[in-house]
Amino acid sequence: MAVNGTGPYDPQNVFARILRGELPCKKVYEDEYALAFHDIAPKAPVHVLVIPKGPFVSFADFSSKGTEAEITGFTRAVGRVARDLNLEAPGYRLLSNVGVAGGQEVPHFHVHLFGGRALGAMLAG
Ligand code: AMP
């Protein structure tokens, strides 16, 4: 079910629990600012989620409240994950759903990183 992208942060959301080590994930990369792991229901041959370590509900929240260091660190981590997965040369897609109209389901900011095939039209319909 889609969630509000501007509401208060729920520390029990699934990605908060992954960050605390309470739930497992298939980790791809981790540093001070970001954690990257495989999506549990991949929609492309490569479908990785990159999340910031701080408690941000959505891109709306992160872009307004994240510190310069958090925003820079997170952005560099996303680029590094794409590079490490050899997605730069063939190309890839970044996507972040925000709020109800965006179809966001997990209320912790995340970027989807898709690759491994030609990804087709930007939106399904
Ligand atoms: P969004 O609609 O942008 O909020 O996408 C949430 C994504 O999180 C979906 O692609 C789910 O498949 C994925 N997801 C949900 N729970 C987990 C989990 N425990 N581990 C990895 N991915 C998950």
Side-chain angles (χ1 to χ4, degrees), residues 45-65:
V46 177
H47 184 176
V48 164
L49 302 171
V50 191
I51 69 175
K53 294 232 165 143
F56 302 102
V57 176
S58 66
F59 178 74
D61 194 21
F62 185 65
S63 59
S64 64
K65 299 201 192 108

Side-chain angles (χ1 to χ4, degrees), residues 104-122:
Q104 183 179 359
E105 292 189 343
V106 177
H108 182 110
F109 171 47
H110 52 282
V111 166
H112 296 256
L113 183 52
F114 299 104
R117 66 168 166 83
L119 294 164
M122 190 160 58

Side-chain angles (χ1 to χ4, degrees), residues 28-76:
V28 172
Y29 176 76
E30 181 170 17
D31 66 20
E32 184 183 350
Y33 297 106
L35 174 68
F37 52 93
H38 291 282
D39 195 290
I40 205 166
K43 295 198 166 46
V46 177
H47 184 176
V48 164
L49 302 171
V50 191
I51 69 175
K53 294 232 165 143
F56 302 102
V57 176
S58 66
F59 178 74
D61 194 21
F62 185 65
S63 59
S64 64
K65 299 201 192 108
T67 65
E68 307 279 307
E70 286 171 321
I71 291 170
T72 303
F74 177 76
T75 304
R76 290 212 192 280

